[in-house]
Amino acid sequence: LEKNQYYLPSQRDQFLHLPEMIIHYLVLYNIGMIARYETEWWYELLTQHVSDDYVLIRRFLEVTERKFPYYISNFLRQYL
C-alpha cells in the first residue's frame, strides 16, 4: 500500500478464497448496477447484440441461472 502498487500472486493458493456462490452474487450485483446506472450502454448492448460484452454477460447469466439455485440449496442444507 505504501508503494501504491498492485500485484497478482504467482501461486494459486495465495489468492483470496471466496466461495463461488459469493463470486456469482458479486458479478450479478455489478451487472445490476450497470443496467441501472448505464442505461444507454445497457440498452445499446441488448438491442444490437454485436458486442463481445453481450456474449460474456449472456453466457454468465445462463450459467448462473443453473448454478446459483444449486449453491443456495447446498448452503441451506449445510446450515439448517
Side-chain angles (χ1 to χ4, degrees), residues 15-31 60 64 67-68 71:
F15 278 97
L16 179 64
H17 298 284
L18 289 174
E20 191 173 352
M21 181 174 71
I22 300 299
I23 293 169
H24 277 268
Y25 175 78
L26 292 173
V27 174
L28 287 171
Y29 177 82
N30 283 321
I31 291 172
F60 174 79
T64 301
K67 280 185 151 185
F68 204 75
Y71 290 136

Side-chain angles (χ1 to χ4, degrees), residues 7-18 20 23:
Y7 76 97
L8 292 175
S10 60
Q11 296 176 343
R12 189 175 195 158
D13 60 345
Q14 292 179 350
F15 278 97
L16 179 64
H17 298 284
L18 289 174
E20 191 173 352
I23 293 169

